[in-house]
Amino acid sequence: MKKIKDVEKYIQENKSRLNLQYRLKYHLMGEYGWINDPNGFIYYKDNYHLFYQHNPYDAVWGPMHWGHAISKDLVKWNYLPIALVPGDDFDKDGCFSGSAIEKDNMLYLFYTGHIYTGPDRSKDYKQVQNLAYSKDGIYFIKYSKNPVIGEKQIPEEASKKDFRDPKVFKKGQYHYMLLGSNDGKGHGQILLYKSIDLKKWNFVDILARGNEKTGKNWECPDLFDLEDRQVLMVSAEYIKTRENDFYSTHSSIYFIGDLDIDRGIFNFDVDGYQLIDYGFDFYAPQTTNDKLGRRLMVAWMDMWGESKPTQERGHNWAGAMTLPREILLVNGKLYFRPIKEIENYRKNHYKLVNLEIDGEKNINTYGDCYELEVEFEGCKAEEFGLKIRKGDNEETILSYKRYESLFIFDRNKSGIGPKGQRKINVDLKNNKLKLRIFVDVSSVEIFINDGEKVMSGRIYPSKDSVNISVYSKGKCKINYLNKWDIVVD
Ligand code: FRU
């Protein structure tokens, strides 16, 4: 408890040192310092809880704590005290990612203890699985017999080091735990463990194995039912590039298959993987279900290995979460939609209908924190789209190239920070393209054709780059365009 008080004191004393320029207004960030993966996402006792990988002392990755926030509606978050502080023998150098589960009204957190074993921190480490529990969902007690799964329980065919990110779920009378791992030969894989009481765990089998195309190591696994199928999500390190996608060094992917829980095997086509998000900044998604029966997902809206302006420029914070998304299964593919609660925060409606364009046209509204919904139709134009966060020499271009059936998110002129383009194949539906775009100071999330594809990315334009234009090369029509400021007070 003292340790938690010390961290809290540090955060409260330093919060005024945050530079707010790029802070987002309706996405969750850390209160101070660095964050990465979402952890322990759960609906528990009338609140959504979201924990996250957190270094509260600095805007760089470091000794991982679990930060903690709660929300009634997944939009407005309140910070709670830090939930886990590293430093015990079984989590000496970090409380790495994990998940939460409710049992008998108590909240249980499962997380990976990271422990350095020598001077080379990139190689000399081990990982074990730990448990912490709470009666109030605020203060957590680490289990006295941690770790609940140690090195000795790592099976033969698995890496002895990369063994992390427990995702726990219940099926029948058993609890199951997935762990991210690899086979020691450069292929990601998922291990499955089983328990009755959440304390004693037994290895079941290797639930899923990747191949040479699907990354060298799998992190942050998740597995859930959707309709009558199961979905396996993994964050794949060093996944190979495929045409038009997988440009990021690491990417989060999904497989749809069928879980044979008695044998502990997930039956799936390893080559049938899909990207969850086709943008620049999306990693380590975690899902949960809620009392409305929804399957909800949140991810870290940043990427390893990319430059982070708020870190480099001394803003004393780095990292943000995506907007929570609902996952649906439609014709064998996942669709991702922004949670409907966000619509409660719409203000200042701006509307356009039946606008013919041929060239570029500024529209009569602007902003850096809004939702924009637009439908293009019947365009003969070879290319059409939108330019957002426009200002002197700055713009972020969202375009559609008709003859290549490509949607492109271009941040080459977005401002400071990392650049590049992301492209994805999208077919027009009845000659229409529908976009829902969420802009929040230093982020853009684009939901294409009702969530068939999603692209997320961070951008760092100057404050004055707030204009919006629509454009086409050739004749094109906009059926409607709605824009609302998103205001969370
Ligand atoms: C994924 C990850 C996890 C690990 C955590 C450490 O982004 O590498 O595998 O638990 O970050 O912060």
Side-chain angles (χ1 to χ4, degrees), residues 115 126-129 147 149-155 160 163:
I115 299 150
K126 66 172 188 172
Q127 301 185 325
V128 297
Q129 315 314 323
I149 305 182
E151 313 98 279
K152 291 203 184 87
Q153 281 170 274
I154 301 178
K160 297 288 168 280
F163 172 57

Side-chain angles (χ1 to χ4, degrees), residues 36-37 53 61 64 96-97 164-165 219-220 283-284 300 304:
N36 54 288
D37 314 355
Q53 290 287 281
W61 188 86
M64 282 294 111
F96 274 18
S97 284
R164 60 178 175 266
D165 310 338
E219 309 183 301
C220 303
Y283 199 65
W300 180 41
W304 295 114

Side-chain angles (χ1 to χ4, degrees), residues 11-20 31-32 316:
I11 295 174
Q12 297 318 321
E13 283 174 0
N14 284 277
K15 245 166 68 175
S16 61
R17 297 174 53 227
L18 284 174
N19 180 326
L20 305 179
E31 205 170 0
Y32 189 83
N316 293 319

